Amino acid sequence: MEKSDQRVPFTVENIKKCICTDCPVQNTSRCVKEKMEKTKEMMGSMESGLMSKPEDIPGLYCATGAATCKDIDTNQMCICGDCPLWEKYNLPSGELLGYYCRDGKAK
Ligand code: SF4
Ligand code: SF4
Protein backbone atom coordinates (compact mmCIF):
# COMPACT_ATOMS: atom_id res chain seq x y z
CA MET A 1 0.00 0.00 0.00
CA GLU A 2 1.18 3.51 -0.80
CA LYS A 3 2.21 5.60 2.16
CA SER A 4 0.02 8.65 2.69
CA ASP A 5 1.74 12.03 2.48
CA GLN A 6 -0.91 13.49 4.79
CA ARG A 7 1.11 14.65 7.76
CA VAL A 8 -1.44 16.83 9.54
CA PRO A 9 -5.05 15.56 9.65
CA PHE A 10 -7.86 17.88 8.49
CA THR A 11 -10.01 17.82 11.63
CA VAL A 12 -12.11 20.34 13.48
CA GLU A 13 -9.79 20.02 16.52
CA ASN A 14 -6.84 21.03 14.36
CA ILE A 15 -8.76 23.89 12.73
CA LYS A 16 -9.38 25.25 16.23
CA LYS A 17 -5.72 24.97 17.22
CA CYS A 18 -4.37 26.59 14.04
CA ILE A 19 -3.12 30.14 14.60
CA CYS A 20 -3.12 31.23 10.93
CA THR A 21 -6.11 33.38 11.92
CA ASP A 22 -3.68 35.65 13.84
CA CYS A 23 -0.98 35.71 11.17
CA PRO A 24 0.13 39.02 9.61
CA VAL A 25 0.29 37.29 6.20
CA GLN A 26 -3.48 37.03 6.29
CA ASN A 27 -4.78 39.92 8.31
CA THR A 28 -5.19 42.41 5.46
CA SER A 29 -6.97 39.91 3.21
CA ARG A 30 -10.63 40.60 2.60
CA CYS A 31 -11.07 37.09 1.19
CA VAL A 32 -9.64 35.57 4.40
CA LYS A 33 -11.86 37.77 6.55
CA GLU A 34 -14.97 36.54 4.74
CA LYS A 35 -13.89 32.91 5.11
CA MET A 36 -13.17 33.44 8.81
CA GLU A 37 -16.69 34.74 9.38
CA LYS A 38 -18.17 31.81 7.49
CA THR A 39 -15.99 29.33 9.38
CA LYS A 40 -17.21 30.75 12.70
CA GLU A 41 -20.81 30.26 11.55
CA MET A 42 -20.07 26.70 10.42
CA MET A 43 -18.24 25.66 13.59
CA GLY A 44 -21.34 24.11 15.18
CA SER A 45 -22.04 21.92 12.12
CA MET A 46 -18.38 20.94 11.88
CA GLU A 47 -18.36 19.89 15.52
CA SER A 48 -21.32 17.64 14.83
CA GLY A 49 -19.45 15.99 11.99
CA LEU A 50 -20.34 17.97 8.88
CA MET A 51 -16.92 19.19 7.77
CA SER A 52 -16.58 22.25 5.56
CA LYS A 53 -14.48 22.00 2.43
CA PRO A 54 -10.76 22.67 2.96
CA GLU A 55 -10.91 25.63 0.55
CA ASP A 56 -13.49 27.32 2.80
CA ILE A 57 -11.20 27.26 5.84
CA PRO A 58 -8.72 30.18 6.03
CA GLY A 59 -6.07 28.17 7.87
CA LEU A 60 -4.68 24.69 8.55
CA TYR A 61 -2.77 25.02 5.29
CA CYS A 62 -0.18 22.54 6.62
CA ALA A 63 -2.96 19.94 6.19
CA THR A 64 -4.80 21.18 3.14
CA GLY A 65 -2.30 23.00 0.93
CA ALA A 66 -1.96 26.51 -0.45
CA ALA A 67 -4.52 29.20 0.32
CA THR A 68 -7.30 29.80 -2.16
CA CYS A 69 -7.31 33.48 -1.16
CA LYS A 70 -4.89 35.26 -3.45
CA ASP A 71 -4.79 38.61 -1.63
CA ILE A 72 -2.55 37.38 1.21
CA ASP A 73 0.80 39.11 1.83
CA THR A 74 3.54 36.49 2.02
CA ASN A 75 6.17 39.18 2.61
CA GLN A 76 5.00 39.18 6.23
CA MET A 77 6.34 36.72 8.83
CA CYS A 78 4.81 33.24 9.10
CA ILE A 79 3.90 32.37 12.71
CA CYS A 80 3.52 28.59 12.32
CA GLY A 81 6.48 28.16 14.71
CA ASP A 82 4.23 29.33 17.57
CA CYS A 83 1.41 26.93 16.69
CA PRO A 84 0.68 23.92 18.95
CA LEU A 85 0.56 21.69 15.85
CA TRP A 86 4.12 22.66 14.89
CA GLU A 87 5.64 20.40 17.57
CA LYS A 88 2.76 17.94 17.71
CA TYR A 89 3.27 16.84 14.09
CA ASN A 90 7.01 17.48 14.14
CA LEU A 91 6.73 20.03 11.34
CA PRO A 92 10.32 21.31 11.76
CA SER A 93 11.51 17.98 10.36
CA GLY A 94 9.48 18.43 7.17
CA GLU A 95 10.46 19.66 3.72
CA LEU A 96 8.69 22.99 4.15
CA LEU A 97 9.14 25.20 7.20
CA GLY A 98 5.96 27.23 7.40
CA TYR A 99 4.36 29.35 4.67
CA TYR A 100 2.09 26.42 3.84
CA CYS A 101 -0.47 28.97 2.63
CA ARG A 102 2.03 29.89 -0.09
CA ASP A 103 3.94 26.66 -0.73
CA GLY A 104 1.44 23.88 -0.06
CA LYS A 105 0.88 21.30 2.64
CA ALA A 106 3.44 19.88 5.06
CA LYS A 107 5.13 16.65 3.96
S1 SF4 B 1 1.35 24.88 11.60
FE1 SF4 B 1 0.72 26.78 10.59
S2 SF4 B 1 -0.71 26.15 8.97
FE2 SF4 B 1 -0.48 24.46 10.38
S3 SF4 B 1 -2.15 24.70 11.80
FE3 SF4 B 1 -0.40 25.72 12.71
S4 SF4 B 1 -0.53 27.85 12.11
FE4 SF4 B 1 -1.94 26.72 10.77
S1 SF4 C 1 0.81 29.07 6.98
FE1 SF4 C 1 2.18 30.40 8.13
S2 SF4 C 1 2.33 32.21 6.78
FE2 SF4 C 1 0.54 31.09 6.12
S3 SF4 C 1 -1.14 32.02 7.23
FE3 SF4 C 1 -0.47 30.23 8.42
S4 SF4 C 1 0.96 31.09 9.92
FE4 SF4 C 1 0.71 32.59 8.30
Side-chain angles (χ1 to χ4, degrees), residues 18-26 58-62 72 74 76-81 98-102:
C18 171
I19 60 169
C20 289
T21 41
D22 296 326
C23 178
V25 167
Q26 295 208 125
L60 202 59
Y61 304 116
C62 56
I72 58 173
T74 53
Q76 303 298 319
M77 257 326 257
C78 174
I79 59 169
C80 285
Y99 288 104
Y100 306 109
C101 56
R102 181 188 67 195

Side-chain angles (χ1 to χ4, degrees), residues 18-43 46 55-59 61 69:
C18 171
I19 60 169
C20 289
T21 41
D22 296 326
C23 178
V25 167
Q26 295 208 125
N27 66 12
T28 57
S29 163
R30 178 186 284 263
C31 166
V32 165
K33 195 165 175 252
E34 280 168 15
K35 284 184 197 282
M36 273 183 201
E37 280 163 14
K38 199 161 170 216
T39 301
K40 249 186 243 161
E41 283 168 26
M42 295 303 292
M43 205 37 97
M46 284 197 272
E55 59 266 34
D56 291 337
I57 308 294
Y61 304 116
C69 287

